[in-house]
Amino acid sequence: MNQSAATLSNRNGPNGHTESNNANSTPSALTRSRFNKIKRHSTFQMLNSKGFTQTSQLNYFQRIYLLYSLPKLQEFFISVDHRSIWRRHLAWSLRDGDHLRNAVTGRFASNMVFMSLLLGTEIGVLFSPSKPADAFRKALDEASYGQLDFWAGIILCISIGMTLSTLLANFTAWAIVGAVSPQNSHAILRSSIGLYAAQLPARLVLLSIYCFVVTVALFIFILLPRVWCFIIAIF
């Protein structure tokens, strides 16, 4: 009787459970410990330890250089959404003709709003009662070809004409594309003539923007001292 009681006490745990229950709970405890050990390490460290990744050896300046070297030089001056490849991608990516027409006309509408604001700014500068405006208007009236005010006025007048042409081109394209039915929008906007017609307003927008930038640069060069002109031109 004493031996059987001792054997039974050895088999039972402190709470009266048998060793079989403890044996069944042991694998789950090991699994939890392994999971917690793996959880302590990040995914990158785990992959790096297995040889799937390689730690970067580049410093901060080299990373900045690689970041700015990703786009091409011309993409700093002409964004990709003003190129024909973007128009071609837009025409072939949208399957629904109604969505394609709305996307193209929406872009023309936003260009019209932007060009209207730009045109109002340029006309306001041309007829401004300020002293710099009086100076270049006087230079235009006297045909002073040797003065910088004369050429600033000429570029401003060219910019006004370019902006007005861009506004009319976007309005015409918006009206024509908006009249196309959704069933025929793919056939028209995916053709070569449709792509060229949709690309013309975008190119005029770029020309208008750069004419305005040149005008602003000339006025900055006239108003500010020479040292500050070069500093602003660099930045």
Side-chain angles (χ1 to χ4, degrees):
M1 292 295 292
N2 294 331
Q3 293 179 355
S4 61
T7 305
L8 183 61
S9 64
N10 290 329
R11 289 181 180 179
N12 294 336
N15 295 328
H17 298 288
T18 58
E19 291 181 355
S20 60
N21 294 332
N22 293 330
N24 292 331
S25 62
T26 302
S28 61
L30 293 176
T31 304
R32 285 196 299 269
S33 64
R34 290 176 182 176
F35 178 76
N36 293 330
K37 187 182 295 184
I38 294 173
K39 191 176 180 181
R40 294 191 191 100
H41 299 279
S42 63
T43 305
F44 179 79
Q45 292 177 352
M46 184 177 64
L47 293 176
N48 192 19
S49 63
K50 298 297 182 179
F52 290 102
T53 60
Q54 186 176 2
T55 306
S56 177
Q57 302 295 330
L58 301 177
N59 55 24
Y60 179 76
F61 296 102
Q62 290 176 343
R63 293 178 183 178
I64 295 297
Y65 174 75
L66 290 177
L67 178 64
Y68 281 96
S69 63
L70 286 177
K72 298 179 181 179
L73 181 61
Q74 58 184 354
E75 293 180 359
F76 287 101
F77 302 98
I78 302 175
S79 58
V80 69
D81 58 337
H82 287 94
R83 296 185 180 183
S84 59
I85 188 174
W86 180 260
R87 301 292 177 183
R88 191 179 298 110
H89 166 72
L90 184 63
W92 287 93
S93 61
L94 298 176
R95 297 182 179 179
D96 191 6
D98 193 14
H99 292 170
L100 176 59
R101 185 188 61 182
N102 293 335
V104 176
T105 54
R107 184 56 185 268
F108 291 147
S110 62
N111 288 338
M112 283 192 293
V113 174
F114 178 68
M115 288 295 107
S116 299
L117 296 174
L118 192 61
L119 181 62
T121 303
E122 292 170 347
I123 292 177
V125 173
L126 180 62
F127 297 103
S128 174
S130 61
K131 291 183 179 180
D134 292 335
F136 78 77
R137 281 196 297 264
K138 184 180 179 180
L140 289 173
D141 185 48
E142 296 177 354
S144 301
Y145 300 104
Q147 296 183 7
L148 189 59
D149 292 326
F150 174 81
W151 296 108
I154 290 294
I155 297 298
L156 178 60
C157 294
I158 294 174
S159 181
I160 291 174
M162 184 64 66
T163 305
L164 184 60
S165 301
T166 305
L167 184 61
L168 293 176
N170 280 273
F171 177 75
T172 304
W174 173 78
I176 292 175
V177 177
V180 177
S181 63
Q183 293 78 15
N184 296 326
S185 59
H186 288 99
I188 294 176
L189 295 176
R190 288 179 180 178
S191 63
S192 58
I193 297 177
L195 290 174
Y196 287 136
Q199 185 65 18
L200 178 60
R203 294 180 179 178
L204 291 177
V205 168
L206 283 176
L207 291 177
S208 300
I209 292 174
Y210 280 111
C211 283
F212 181 74
V213 169
V214 172
T215 304
V216 172
L218 287 176
F219 279 110
I220 290 175
F221 193 79
I222 291 171
L223 297 175
L224 296 181
R226 295 295 179 265
V227 177
W228 291 103
C229 291
F230 289 111
I231 293 175
I232 293 176
I234 290 173
F235 289 100

